Amino acid sequence: GSSTGSASVTGLPVASRSGPVQIATIAWSVLTYTSVPLAAIVSGSTTVDLYSAATTGAITGMTDVNFANTTIIYLTGTYLI
């Protein structure tokens, strides 16, 4: 692929409610790291940001380097509007 920068999914049909972070379920195929992926719906927006949780407990935003050309992301969940 040719994308760079922070990893996010945009275009949810309706903006989420402002307030606490809402977590979505994520599954993956062919990510280029061994941490656990996390998905957080951005407060008041139509965007889901993707993060990784290391075995040390550190949570960092995923970027283009975490993905291969064949990566598949499965994202499911509900959120408050």
Side-chain angles (χ1 to χ4, degrees), residues 3-77:
S3 295
T4 60
S6 299
S8 62
V9 177
T10 60
L12 295 176
V14 178
S16 68
R17 177 184 294 178
S18 294
V21 172
Q22 300 178 60
I23 304 298
T25 303
I26 187 171
W28 68 97
S29 175
V30 195
L31 285 176
T32 59
Y33 71 101
T34 57
S35 299
V36 176
L38 304 171
I41 300 167
V42 178
S43 177
S45 78
T46 59
T47 300
V48 178
D49 285 341
L50 303 179
Y51 298 90
S52 64
T55 55
T56 62
I59 296 176
T60 57
M62 292 174 67
T63 67
D64 56 294
V65 300
N66 299 120
F67 298 88
N69 287 337
T70 56
T71 299
I72 298 171
I73 296 288
Y74 302 95
L75 185 64
T76 183

